Amino acid sequence: MTLTANWSYPTAIRFGAGRISELPEACVAAGIARPLLVTDRGLATLPVTKNALDFLDAAGLGRAVFAEVDPNPNEENLAAGIKVFREGNHDGVVAFGGGSGLDLGKMVAFMSGQTRPVWDFEDIGDWWTRADPDGIAPIIAVPTTAGTGSEVGRASVITNSETHVKKIIFHPQVLPAVVISDPELTVGMPQMITAGTGMDAFAHCLEAYCSPHFHPMSQGIALEGMRLVNEYLPRAYADGTDIEARGQMMAAAAMGAVAFQKGLGAIHALSHPIGAVYNTHHGTTNAVVMPPVLDFNRGAVEGRLDRAAAYLGISGGYSGFYDRVLELRSTLGIPATLTEMGVGGDKLDMLTAMALEDPSVGGNPVAMTSENTRALFEACL
């Protein structure tokens, strides 16, 4: 099977090895003549980024870069990016990188023509209608990891630097016009990042699959996404040059982000405040809290995960599925507890309050309260 295709769900996706060469063409298709490439500091000087800029430069599109992006991007990063965008008279953004670069790049394009503060567009009710749609610049997304799926999302996660609370900023036009999903860009990912981002994709699919909300299309996508991660993440981790495994993981990451339109749950409700307070890697944190959350939700999801286990080729139903999660974590070198990630027990009350305010709470199959959420945090230590 040839891992090259053009997809139009949920947006235009140019998928396949070597397709980064089509970046200038994608810009033209989106109406971008003066792109600003937004990425994180770590990627800014790497060959994959230079290569992308070379393609843009050769096509007469310049090589402008903004890379002042933190691992958990905040409103200060955003303000700096908007300033560069406006001063450079740019007309579109190439969001390039993992979740942080993609999320901030999308927000720079979104906020470039707005006059209200970014927090006015939090994913609450119809707050997105406050935005001026004519002030949103077009976006090309180029993922270099296989985890967040932000390249196919209509939102970004931005951390409030003062309150340390992660906020989801939503607008339909934040969905990139074109995605270039080239598995060759992920070959240089360190094993730790391969593991963490891969388990992030798994968490997205798992929580969407277990969400009590009705969305049959997302349900099917989530199930197949879990199968791809289960099969191909160990391969990508063991051999970073395995292009088939890298490609399948990029597909799984996009599928997870599409699937979680159905909802997320306690895994993300816990990991968002932990990441905001302790600056932990998001996907790795998801993997650490995943088994305790499975225990927490078992009564509501056991039958559903019995069926998922069968589809994934895992024997033993729910128990086999649970054991496979533990096996994956061990194989991928994921810490067993939050304590190993530097999370202490002194801030559990604050973390609990933050978790209960997180939008992901509403998608958990078991209702979350102050008491059971605090106990869940304790079980993760």
Side-chain angles (χ1 to χ4, degrees):
M1 179 173 61
T2 302
L3 291 179
T4 302
N6 294 331
W7 298 325
S8 58
Y9 179 73
T11 188
I13 302 174
R14 303 184 182 206
F15 190 100
R19 299 198 71 174
I20 188 62
S21 64
E22 299 175 27
L23 180 56
E25 182 184 327
C27 287
V28 172
I32 301 174
R34 297 177 302 281
L36 175 66
L37 188 144
V38 178
T39 191
D40 62 70
R41 296 180 183 88
L43 271 174
T45 58
L46 294 185
V48 289
T49 309
K50 179 183 180 300
N51 189 42
L53 291 169
D54 287 346
F55 283 125
L56 291 174
D57 203 10
L61 300 175
R63 52 190 313 119
V65 181
F66 175 77
E68 299 303 306
V69 181
D70 292 326
N72 290 299
N74 57 44
E75 81 283 2
E76 294 175 354
N77 300 154
L78 178 57
I82 293 169
K83 184 173 185 290
V84 170
F85 184 92
R86 290 173 176 169
E87 290 180 350
N89 196 29
H90 297 289
D91 61 356
V93 166
V94 175
F96 189 95
S100 56
L102 294 175
D103 274 8
L104 195 80
K106 287 158 58 179
M107 282 297 98
V108 168
F110 172 63
M111 291 297 295
S112 62
Q114 306 304 320
T115 57
R116 303 177 68 139
V118 67
W119 312 125
D120 282 3
F121 309 113
E122 187 178 353
D123 189 14
I124 297 174
D126 65 351
W127 285 18
W128 65 270
T129 61
R130 298 168 170 177
D132 176 5
D134 293 332
I136 304 172
I139 304 162
I140 306 296
V142 185
T144 62
T145 65
T148 69
S150 182
E151 68 272 12
V152 294
R154 300 172 296 168
S156 290
V157 178
I158 302 295
T159 301
N160 185 313
S161 63
E162 295 181 2
T163 65
H164 302 292
V165 174
K166 290 190 173 186
K167 298 290 187 179
I168 298 173
I169 311 300
F170 168 85
H171 193 282
Q173 284 178 232
V174 169
L175 180 68
V178 182
V179 175
I180 295 181
S181 193
D182 184 342
E184 290 184 348
L185 302 184
T186 70
V187 166
M189 264 199 298
Q191 277 193 315
M192 180 185 70
I193 302 300
T194 297
T197 54
M199 289 302 289
D200 191 24
F202 191 80
H204 292 160
C205 293
L206 172 61
E207 292 214 285
Y209 182 74
C210 292
S211 166
H213 302 315
F214 180 71
H215 200 319
M217 291 180 288
S218 287
Q219 189 79 350
I221 291 169
L223 184 60
E224 175 65 2
M226 283 193 288
R227 186 192 70 81
L228 292 179
V229 176
N230 182 56
E231 182 172 347
Y232 290 101
L233 179 54
R235 280 179 48 178
Y237 181 80
D239 179 6
T241 65
D242 185 337
I243 288 295
E244 181 186 10
R246 290 293 196 187
Q248 296 285 12
M249 282 304 303
M250 291 196 89
M255 291 166 73
V258 171
F260 71 59
Q261 293 180 38
K262 183 172 178 279
L264 293 170
I267 291 174
H268 281 77
L270 267 61
S271 69
H272 282 157
I274 292 167
V277 173
Y278 291 94
N279 208 32
T280 59
H281 183 268
H282 173 67
T284 305
T285 310
N286 281 342
V288 171
V289 305
M290 191 177 292
V293 170
L294 284 171
D295 279 336
F296 180 80
N297 288 329
R298 180 169 184 169
V301 303
E302 186 165 1
R304 185 169 292 187
L305 289 179
D306 283 344
R307 297 188 292 273
Y311 182 75
L312 270 61
I314 298 170
S315 61
Y318 171 88
S319 295
F321 185 95
Y322 182 92
D323 289 343
R324 177 55 177 163
V325 169
L326 295 180
E327 182 183 13
L328 277 173
R329 292 200 321 174
S330 176
T331 299
L332 301 171
I334 300 287
T337 67
L338 290 178
T339 306
E340 294 178 40
M341 300 185 75
V343 178
D346 57 323
K347 297 180 180 178
L348 290 188
D349 288 339
M350 179 178 69
L351 293 173
T352 297
M354 292 170 70
L356 292 172
E357 292 176 0
D358 192 272
S360 303
V361 164
N364 199 65
V366 173
M368 298 177 70
T369 66
S370 294
E371 293 74 20
N372 66 19
T373 301
R374 194 181 197 284
L376 182 53
F377 271 115
E378 290 173 348
C380 297
L381 295 175

